[in-house]
Structure formats: C-alpha cells, structure tokens
Amino acid sequence: MREQLRRSGMAESVVDDAVLVLSELLSNSCRHGRPLGRGVEVGDGDVRAAWRVDKHGALTVEVTDGGGPTRPVPATPSVTARGGRGLNIISALAQDWGVRDSASGEVTVWVILTAGHRRDDFATRVTGPGFDFLNTYEAYDAYEDVD
C-alpha cells in the first residue's frame, strides 16, 4: 500500500495515516469480525482490504469481513486498557468513516483520508493522560537529595 500510494503522488502524511488506518482496520477485523466466505464459496477465512484515490485526491481505505456480534463503534478505554483506541485514532485522522452492510452479511468499514485533515486535537485524543513522568522523577530525585 505504502509504495502504491507514494507512486501515485499521495502526500507522505496521508500515506503514513493510511498505513496506520489499514493496520487498525485489519486488526479490528481479525479480532472482532468473522471471516468472509463462511458457508459460501467466496473465500475460506478471508478478509478483504482495498484502497482507491478519487479524482479530488481523497483516499478511501476499506476492510471487509463477514461481520461480527457488534457494530464497530469508538470505545472509551481506561487509561490502563491494552486496546480500544483504534477507532478513536481513525476518527482523529479521517475526514470521514463509516460502516456499510451488504445483503450477503459482509461488513465493510471505510475511511476517507485527505491531506491536512487531521483533527486539531489529534495529539490529545491518542496520547495518555497529562501525567508528567519527568517532573515526578525530578521531584523524587529532589526528595532523595534532602536526606
């Protein structure tokens, strides 16, 4: 994907975002979705990924699977949670995203990326809490020096 998008002249920031988005979508599909083709001759345990650039330069990234027990929605994970941030990251990077269902039971999550579209609060939406470990260490170090 990275090389194809670079060759097409896509901005490097959009290429980086697209690679991250594809990784998140594929991870979610493998974790929460069913494979394509279960009981159908379409495939045997497959997940489908696709991307395209429209005439205006917007990139659409899609991942399709056999659906899952729940709809893809952004979570509100705890600070210590090991997961649950993927769709929040996608929301911060994307111009738009959504879910499309097919009559055959396939579910496609799609994301539209454009240059310069990251949300202003991107950094605060995907980083941890405002806890400054350096200041804590310096305070501890100063406490140790008092003895």
Side-chain angles (χ1 to χ4, degrees), residues 67 71-72 99-110:
R71 299 288 294 163
V99 182
R100 184 175 63 243
D101 299 298
S102 75
S104 65
E106 293 181 357
V107 174
T108 299
V109 179
W110 54 267

Side-chain angles (χ1 to χ4, degrees), residues 18 26 31 53 70 74 80 91 108 112 123 134 136 146:
L26 287 171
R31 184 171 186 185
V53 180
T70 60
T80 58
S91 294
T108 299
I112 298 174
L134 182 58
T136 303
V146 171

Side-chain angles (χ1 to χ4, degrees), residues 34-57:
R34 289 183 296 268
L36 292 169
R38 219 173 248 199
V40 184
E41 294 182 25
V42 174
D44 185 19
D46 295 337
V47 172
R48 189 170 50 246
W51 52 90
R52 66 183 172 283
V53 180
D54 71 16
K55 63 183 178 180
H56 304 291

Side-chain angles (χ1 to χ4, degrees), residues 38-95:
R38 219 173 248 199
V40 184
E41 294 182 25
V42 174
D44 185 19
D46 295 337
V47 172
R48 189 170 50 246
W51 52 90
R52 66 183 172 283
V53 180
D54 71 16
K55 63 183 178 180
H56 304 291
L59 171 65
T60 301
V61 179
E62 299 180 340
V63 170
T64 303
D65 60 34
T70 60
R71 299 288 294 163
V73 294
T76 307
S78 71
V79 173
T80 58
R82 293 179 180 234
R85 293 171 184 82
L87 288 177
N88 290 316
I89 292 170
I90 288 171
S91 294
L93 296 174
Q95 177 180 338

